[in-house]
Amino acid sequence: MSARVMVLILAADHDRTVDRVAAELTGRGVPVTRVDTADFPIGLRLGASFSNGAGHWGGRLTGHTEGGRSVLVDLAEVTSVYYRHPTQFRLPEGMSGPERIFAYNEARRGFGGVLQALDCLWVNDPVRSAAAAYKPVQLAAAAAVGLRVPDTVIANDPEYIRSWAAGLGRPIIYKPVGGIWHPEAGEIRMIYTERVEDLGWLRDAGLDLTAHMFQEWVEKAHEARAVVIGGQVFTMAIHTDSPAGRVDWRSDYDANRYEPVELPAGVRNGLIRLHERLGLVFGACDLIRTPEGEWVFLETNVTGEWGWLEANCGVPIAKTIADVLEAGRVK
């Protein structure tokens, strides 16, 4: 192990996927500090400075997390940051609305800015992740590296959508642009991919209220999730006999079966090039394998889940992420 290795994990306290990577690193004797952005500024104190002589940011992060862990980080010793679903800054009670807005923005640009300026590897860089989270960006980048993607429309113009569907002449699906999790009336609602069986729905006046995404329906032998970590790809086929799962496997986990599979070299290399193009070290890609054996790219999830696939298929995803974080570079 290198003399200068310290991994900083930015994640929510109860993230079991992060637990797997943290345990792998700790078992190797790699120093790991885990905090959540919600721990700042109440629990954590940041002291950071920059000088022309040093040419880089230095200082420390001290205090404690909401979960009670003590924190003492020499910022100059951080070689890698594992960034995965941290939660919002938790500000002191009693602030006015304008004070909270100001304090939150200062925390984001100050605390977040210092960490982003460190000379270290990010898995994944939050700025690159934010840009790559846009599905239109992903689809264009995937096509540019030679991957097949579904014909897609994004619009709030009902006439444009109907014209596109008529010209396509094939079955279509609807899926949310921003992911399946949506808060509603104090609860979390999941919006799964849905086949559009009745094109009359495309005459709904409500379509003009926001952007909507429709894609061609791609016939499936099965779906798969391919986890990309630098130059390595682990792919797990997802089989289901559930009618709902045939449309969206996330809608019926109990009906799913998993197995490791090998992608064709062209698809595998295309996924690696895609993530290089997007500036990502990690991505969990959703794919379709057609009955004819062709692979179709749907999307990459910059903080996508993989823990249950590792448990079911025995693939060394946590180990591989830990390898990259320990090395401080992409292998």
Side-chain angles (χ1 to χ4, degrees), residues 22-40:
E24 178 70 29
L25 289 166
T26 301
R28 301 178 184 190
V30 175
V32 176
T33 297
R34 178 172 176 173
V35 301
D36 189 2
T37 43
D39 297 321
F40 183 84

Side-chain angles (χ1 to χ4, degrees), residues 222-225 235-241 248-261 286 305-315:
H222 61 77
E223 294 191 61
R225 175 153 286 194
T235 307
M236 286 66 64
I238 303 171
H239 303 281
T240 181
D241 297 320
D248 190 329
W249 58 263
R250 298 167 299 183
S251 67
D252 193 354
Y253 276 93
D254 290 342
N256 294 340
R257 307 181 307 279
Y258 311 100
E259 64 170 336
V261 295
D286 290 330
E305 299 295 340
W306 48 265
W308 93 104
L309 291 170
E310 180 177 68
N312 277 276
C313 297
V315 287

Side-chain angles (χ1 to χ4, degrees), residues 68-325:
R69 294 187 299 273
S70 296
V71 176
L72 176 57
V73 176
D74 182 339
L75 296 176
E77 294 300 312
V78 176
T79 49
S80 301
V81 179
Y82 187 30
Y83 181 90
R84 193 189 132 82
H85 293 314
T87 53
Q88 295 184 357
F89 297 107
R90 190 175 66 257
L91 300 173
E93 298 293 334
M95 287 183 168
S96 67
E99 287 173 337
R100 295 185 71 83
I101 292 171
F102 177 80
Y104 187 93
N105 286 332
E106 292 296 286
R108 183 166 67 88
R109 291 177 171 85
F111 181 90
V114 166
L115 294 185
Q116 285 243 223
L118 299 179
D119 181 20
C120 65
L121 174 74
W122 283 75
V123 181
N124 283 311
D125 180 286
V127 174
R128 296 294 187 92
S129 292
Y134 289 106
K135 286 187 173 69
V137 172
Q138 293 185 15
L139 294 175
V145 300
L147 297 170
R148 179 187 161 186
V149 301
D151 284 354
T152 303
V153 66
I154 295 177
N156 78 321
D157 182 336
E159 183 180 348
Y160 188 94
I161 297 169
R162 291 195 300 272
S163 176
W164 171 83
L168 187 67
R170 300 191 295 279
I172 64 173
I173 57 98
Y174 163 80
K175 66 195 311 185
V177 186
I180 68 171
W181 303 95
H182 293 272
E184 183 176 328
E187 298 181 354
I188 299 296
R189 179 188 176 199
M190 289 175 284
I191 303 177
Y192 298 112
T193 299
E194 180 180 350
R195 279 193 65 152
V196 180
E197 304 292 353
D198 180 6
L199 295 184
W201 181 56
L202 301 181
R203 298 188 179 278
D204 189 327
L207 288 174
D208 63 3
L209 296 178
T210 190
H212 302 275
M213 182 164 78
F214 297 88
Q215 291 182 322
E216 64 171 311
W217 166 260
V218 179
E219 291 294 338
K220 307 170 183 179
H222 61 77
E223 294 191 61
R225 175 153 286 194
V227 176
V228 179
I229 307 162
Q232 300 194 62
V233 181
F234 301 98
T235 307
M236 286 66 64
I238 303 171
H239 303 281
T240 181
D241 297 320
S242 161
R246 292 286 294 174
V247 179
D248 190 329
W249 58 263
R250 298 167 299 183
S251 67
D252 193 354
Y253 276 93
D254 290 342
N256 294 340
R257 307 181 307 279
Y258 311 100
E259 64 170 336
V261 295
E262 287 292 329
L263 290 173
V267 177
R268 178 184 177 280
N269 292 335
L271 292 177
I272 293 171
R273 292 197 304 273
L274 168 65
H275 288 77
E276 289 173 345
R277 188 184 185 98
L278 295 174
L280 303 175
V281 176
F282 169 92
C285 304
D286 290 330
L287 308 170
I288 290 173
R289 186 177 185 271
T290 70
E292 296 75 31
E294 186 175 14
W295 288 89
V296 181
F297 172 87
L298 299 179
E299 63 182 282
T300 185
N301 306 277
V302 298
T303 55
E305 299 295 340
W306 48 265
W308 93 104
L309 291 170
E310 180 177 68
N312 277 276
C313 297
V315 287
I317 297 174
K319 176 184 180 301
T320 305
I321 294 174
D323 288 344
V324 171
L325 292 169

